[in-house]
Amino acid sequence: MLVEKEKMYNPEEVIEQFEALTMDAGRVQEETLRKILQDNSETEYLLKWGLSGKTDPESFKACIPLVSHKDLEPYIQRIADGDASPILTGKPITTISLSSGTTQGKPKFVPFNDELMDTTMQIFKTSFAFRNRDFPIGTGKALQFIYSSKQFKTKGGLAAGTATTNVYRNQLFSKTMRAMNTPCCSPDEVIFGPDFHQSLYCHLLCGLVFCKEVQVISSAFAHSIIHAFRTFEQVWEELCADIREGVLSSRITVPSIRAAMSRLLKPDPELADRIYYKCKGLSNWYGLIPELFPNTRYIYGIMTGSMEPYLKKLRHYAGDLPLLSADYGSSEGWIAANVNPKFPPESVTFAVLPNIGYFEFIPLKDNVDGLELEPSPVGLTEVKVGEEYEIIVTNFAGLYRYRLGDVVKVKGFHNSTPELQFICRRNLLLSINIDKNTEKDLQISVEAAAKILADSKLEVVDFTSHVNTSTDPGNYVVFWEVSGEASDEVLKECCNCLDRSFLDAGYMSSRKVNSIGPLELRVVRRGTFHKILDHYVGLGASVSQFKTPRCVGANNTAVLAILCNNVVNTYFSTAYA
Ligand code: AMP
């Protein structure tokens, strides 16, 4: 039965379906909204807003307000506490997803259901079909750096875990991976292991054991791939020893992982030697991935948005291998697929699948100089090329006109559905008075300053920022972890460059009159950002969905303490001319 179903996956058919759906995106959107509203017409939420069973877009927009997660929190909390009445959805919600929480400082609860699982698989299958057309793979394996988060039961007994964990745990996931010829190298015991350091070590080991079969290296977000190969640099000799002897390192202590790994591991001195000499022969680990896994066709994962700063390092490990950037979605639901896999990650766009939710877009150019006018969203097919929008989601899991908090730009259309470029999170990151700088602005500034560091053959391993208002005037603080020792002179120059690269008029004028003080660059010890990752994982986040918070607020005391306790050097920019 299983085999029969898996055989039925036909990439060409998936592409045909996608073309048909996007050809008539406006109509498909209306039908999708009708279905969502019909399925959930008796819910407390829709009744409360007086929709009274109506399913057309006009009534929907007139009755239902735009909301953020905060507005829905009381409803979601009641669901998590065990109220099985139709609150947000007609069918009871049985699973809760925890968003990675790195953007807000604490994880948010969002509903997860079968429909969300189905749309996730539709996105995966769609982008795979396009990928497979340009980069065909045969039967092989994928080295997937995927991890489960801690799972727990909510007060009402619902299963709760991060969205990626809910997806990985679902049988449909492994079925789909097998049908796409990319089963994971690692056994489930490794993916679902309770300690991600041990899981990571074993993912690497499994990859090496199956090195000739590996065709794809992937993770949900590219950060996990970088993290894995940085770890490889530390533990490669131990991995070789395990392969040579066929005995698993004593660092792996979880019995289920030990048992599963012992079924895979056989003494293989020849393989161990091969890996050993390849590693010895590399210069600064350049091209590590194709050296270790010679039949890899491409590297795959989300490489856009807050993952962009890792691209340089990823290219270093990848050598000539293509980097294919994955789709666009969130714990709240998927939105769009990358159907142009040949585009480099910097110019990737995402085509919205019009049947997986109902999407609206708030034009951002309406907000003149930060004046928040009453938002008037437009429909999926009404967006204009070149414009930026905040995206609003209505989906099959009980979210209605939900502000996701992301800013996207319309780059073009695939048939009649827009192709979106991810710009940044909507939340302002850095602001003291009239200045406004987003995650993207910070990234641009860091990139500019990192070029100075590159002259000393050093790189920024990771970074974040903080708005310091404890002094008068307040100032921006940028934390850097650097790959080695840079001279004070170089770091001072980097600090000045960071300061001068925020080109927002509010910042520049405030700096000139010193209503914002000199920018502070604080260099932290190696491994500090790993400590931050560990901190979030301890709170229930999953490594798979981890995104370094690019701004740490004063209320995020734990992370701020990790950063401040690890500062090794501080530099202030010079006066603004
Ligand atoms: P979470 O639900 O916590 O995993 O985070 C979802 C958020 O990750 C989205 O709202 C986006 O801000 C970001 N994200 C997801 N997919 C992409 C992508 N392909 N490119 C850039 N950012 C993304």
Side-chain angles (χ1 to χ4, degrees), residues 99-100 302 304-305 327-331 350 406 422 425 545 547:
S99 82
S100 56
I302 293 175
T304 36
D327 310 310
Y328 173 37
S330 67
S331 307
F350 307 100
D406 287 344
F422 181 87
R425 299 283 308 166
Q545 266 171 277
K547 300 163 210 77

Side-chain angles (χ1 to χ4, degrees), residues 31 43 47 61 66 122 124 152 160 177 193 213 232 252 259 339 352 376 390 418 442 485-486 490 506 568:
E31 264 175 27
T43 55
L47 291 174
K61 288 182 201 172
L66 296 173
Q122 192 193 341
F124 283 11
F152 62 93
M177 288 300 128
E213 289 166 63
F232 180 88
I252 309 300
V339 297
V352 179
S376 39
E390 181 192 336
L442 173 66
E485 291 260 320
V490 166
V568 284

Side-chain angles (χ1 to χ4, degrees), residues 188 206 233 255 267 292 436 446 516 544:
D188 280 357
C206 293
E233 289 186 28
L292 294 178
K436 289 184 172 55
V446 169
I516 295 180
S544 297

Side-chain angles (χ1 to χ4, degrees), residues 447-458 489-491 493-498:
E447 266 167 21
K451 283 197 184 118
I452 301 170
L453 208 55
D455 294 340
S456 318
K457 302 235 172 324
L458 292 171
E489 207 178 33
V490 166
L491 287 166
E493 207 186 321
C494 291
C495 182
N496 276 331
C497 180
L498 281 169

Side-chain angles (χ1 to χ4, degrees), residues 22-261:
T22 54
M23 205 65 88
D24 209 355
R27 189 188 51 78
V28 174
Q29 276 284 273
E30 287 197 11
E31 264 175 27
T32 305
L33 180 66
R34 188 173 319 126
K35 177 140 190 13
I36 293 173
L37 298 181
Q38 255 165 14
D39 287 356
N40 302 301
S41 60
E42 296 303 313
T43 55
E44 181 185 320
Y45 190 77
L46 293 184
L47 291 174
K48 172 189 162 175
W49 292 111
L51 201 58
S52 328
K54 291 192 277 291
T55 60
D56 61 291
E58 290 71 31
S59 310
F60 177 62
K61 288 182 201 172
C63 296
I64 308 294
L66 296 173
V67 290
S68 63
H69 186 267
K70 215 159 140 254
D71 302 303
L72 294 186
E73 223 164 359
Y75 298 93
I76 300 176
Q77 194 59 51
R78 276 173 51 209
I79 294 170
D81 289 347
D83 186 340
S85 65
I87 297 176
L88 291 172
T89 51
K91 264 193 290 172
I93 295 286
T94 55
T95 309
I96 293 286
S97 287
L98 274 87
S99 82
S100 56
T102 43
T103 43
Q104 305 253 328
K106 68 176 173 55
K108 301 177 286 191
F109 278 8
V110 289
F112 183 86
N113 63 6
D114 288 347
E115 284 78 1
L116 226 50
M117 188 65 203
D118 287 343
T119 54
T120 304
M121 292 307 111
Q122 192 193 341
I123 286 269
F124 283 11
K125 286 180 184 170
T126 304
S127 59
F128 177 77
F130 282 92
R131 223 159 47 245
N132 203 46
R133 198 155 73 171
D134 290 340
F135 301 92
I137 52 172
T139 305
K141 288 191 187 292
L143 170 52
Q144 294 183 300
F145 294 103
I146 57 178
Y147 309 87
S148 156
S149 63
K150 280 187 198 153
Q151 276 211 314
F152 62 93
K153 292 268 182 221
T154 65
K155 191 171 146 204
L158 279 70
T162 56
T164 41
T165 303
N166 291 333
V167 168
Y168 300 151
R169 282 208 180 270
N170 195 300
Q171 280 197 342
L172 264 185
F173 174 72
S174 37
K175 265 190 206 176
T176 309
M177 288 300 128
R178 280 197 300 272
M180 299 190 319
N181 281 337
T182 49
C184 185
C185 289
S186 309
D188 280 357
E189 289 82 349
V190 170
I191 301 170
F192 299 111
D195 174 327
F196 94 87
H197 298 282
Q198 298 192 26
S199 294
L200 165 52
Y201 184 89
C202 292
H203 275 317
L204 287 168
L205 195 52
C206 293
L208 294 174
V209 168
F210 293 109
C211 60
K212 289 208 176 122
E213 289 166 63
V214 171
Q215 303 223 3
V216 177
I217 312 266
S218 71
S219 67
F221 286 89
H223 174 268
S224 304
I225 304 180
I226 299 292
H227 187 219
F229 287 101
R230 282 195 196 279
T231 305
F232 180 88
E233 289 186 28
Q234 312 294 322
V235 300
W236 67 280
E237 284 172 297
E238 204 172 327
L239 289 163
C240 284
D242 290 5
I243 294 170
R244 186 178 313 280
E245 307 295 333
V247 178
L248 190 61
S249 156
S250 59
R251 71 161 72 216
I252 309 300
T253 54
V254 177
S256 57
I257 302 188
R258 286 201 75 84
M261 289 304 293

